[in-house]
Amino acid sequence: MNRFGWLYFPARLAWRQLVFDRTKLVAAICGVLFACVLVFMQLGFKDTLYASAASAPLKLDGDLFLMHKQSEAMWRPIQFKRSELMRVLGNPAVAEAYPLYLGLAPLKNIQTQAKRTLMVYGFDPDSLIFNVDSARNRHVELRLKDTVLFDEYSRPEFGPVRQLLEAGRNMTEINDYKVTIIGLFQLGVSFAADGNVITSDLNFMRIFPRRNLDDIDMGMIRLNPGASVEHVQAELKSHLNEFVNVFTYEELLRHEKDYWANTAPIGFIFGFGTVMGWVVGLVIVYQILFTDIANHRNEFATLKAMGYEQGYFVRVVFASASFLAVLGFIPGYLLSLGLYNLAESQMYMPMPMLISKVITVFMFILSMCFMAGLLAIRKLKDADPADMF
Amino acid sequence: MSNVIEVDHLNFSFGSGALTQPVLKDVTISLEEGEIVLITGPSGSGKTTFLTIIGGLRQALHGSVKVLGHQFINSNEQIKVKTRQQIGYIFQQHNLLKSLTALQNVCMTLEINTTMTEQQRYDRAAEMLIAVGLSDRLNYKPDQLYGGQRQRVSIARALVGQPKIILADEPTASLDKQSGYEAVSLVKRLAKESQTTILLVTHDYRILDIADRVVELEDGMIK
């Protein structure tokens, strides 16, 4: 047998046997499709979670960031003294240092009066901490008393803020404190906050009367041009109290992601769901391959008596597994594409179908089918012509 | 003329220890090229077991079994697989692949070990099916054929590779008298043309006359 026939003939037999029993083929495809959709959704949710967790720090415009060591994530910070941040100004490479105040508070829907919690960011408007143009352009007006900017990408439960603003209705309450929404900016929701508001540090203290300017949640540091971030980071680490973390931009992003991945069990839940999808798919495909071999036992034994070697049947089984993987993946992908759009419209979080995810899931499904094939080939032993005739 | 099959003092038993059940006792027989030998005997006499040992499907440990010059006693699987490819097998049930057409079923024999093109294989298989009288059934699946037609497809499948030996296990068992006789006559006619040796196990006394020699097996011994 030439090299082409080595794989082609068993694959062709596998294909012919698969398409011969349409009902079983459809059942098998549904099994793979199910696993495929499950894995796609779990991975999609996980990626969205991580992406949204990092959406706020992603927009922070700084070189180094100070956080209390006990701060698990930005949305649940532990305060530390402003003086600790100001000590970094002693380093000649540091150009600016600004405190960032964070707090969760209910915002009253202007239309329905219903309250819903969102994230409030407070900082000196002139520090331009948020790298969002629409926020930066309004920094002068933000200095005024009781003014806030509202995140346009917040969940719709906060009301149609854009239309309300255009209609001139811009008064609302945050934490039962009257504020004026003077404009919109764009950030996006996360698993921790359904919406975002930015305001000045002074307004922040008015919204949260128990907070004071000396207890800060985060510190943002900008370095002089040409300064080495790693170098300054190492210096600051050795000079500052040990209860603060000094993060680079990338480290801050990773810190936020790691919280959801490890500290909060959500990353684990999605990981677990992915594995369960794999296992369920494995069991389904295994069952199908297994009964397929059992049903074709007689035929395989006949072929064996005709002089086919054991390896041929192994290739038939693996070819079947590969066909099932491909046939189940294609509708699984299309269905997931639709579900991604549905999920996006429900969650108000981006859930992109990236090519890397498509490849990952396909490899996942392929490995699942191969594993099922590996388990099923034990059944080939039963196809012993000596026992059958 | 050389002996295609040589069996010398073959002993075979199932089970082990106290449960040992001897099936074949001291069987000695040889078949010449082109010879047609029928083995008859009551059920449980060891006919089918004997056939599976000759076909290299069952490993015997005592005595000597030479098929086409290869010793099967204590041989490795590789030698038996190679030898099997030169043997055409006709089964009690037709044992066709349900998902394949008659033509594709016959092609399965040619796909094992061949340098033929797809077209050549199809032509050869079609020729063979025409020879067994199924020219108008080439693309029928086994479910769409009658018992006698199925058995003729399996005969075509056994013969298409021009085997040196044909082993047939009760080929008429599932057929009526008329089609059973037609089937074995067909095997005989086609095999004689190419000097193929036939070893046929049966307890169908209606077909004894096609044989050159009839051997009776009883309780694992040749009478």
Side-chain angles (χ1 to χ4, degrees), chain B residues 203-219:
Chain B
H203 54 233
D204 184 354
Y205 290 93
R206 300 170 299 199
I207 59 168
L208 293 185
D209 60 314
I210 67 148
D212 296 331
R213 182 150 58 111
V214 177
V215 176
E216 212 178 328
L217 204 63
E218 202 174 316
D219 291 336

Side-chain angles (χ1 to χ4, degrees), chain A residues 23-37 284 288 324 327-328 331:
Chain A
T23 328
K24 191 153 357 108
L25 178 63
V26 169
I29 288 174
C30 285
V32 178
L33 184 149
F34 173 76
C36 190
V37 169
I284 294 172
I288 282 163
L324 289 180
L327 290 178

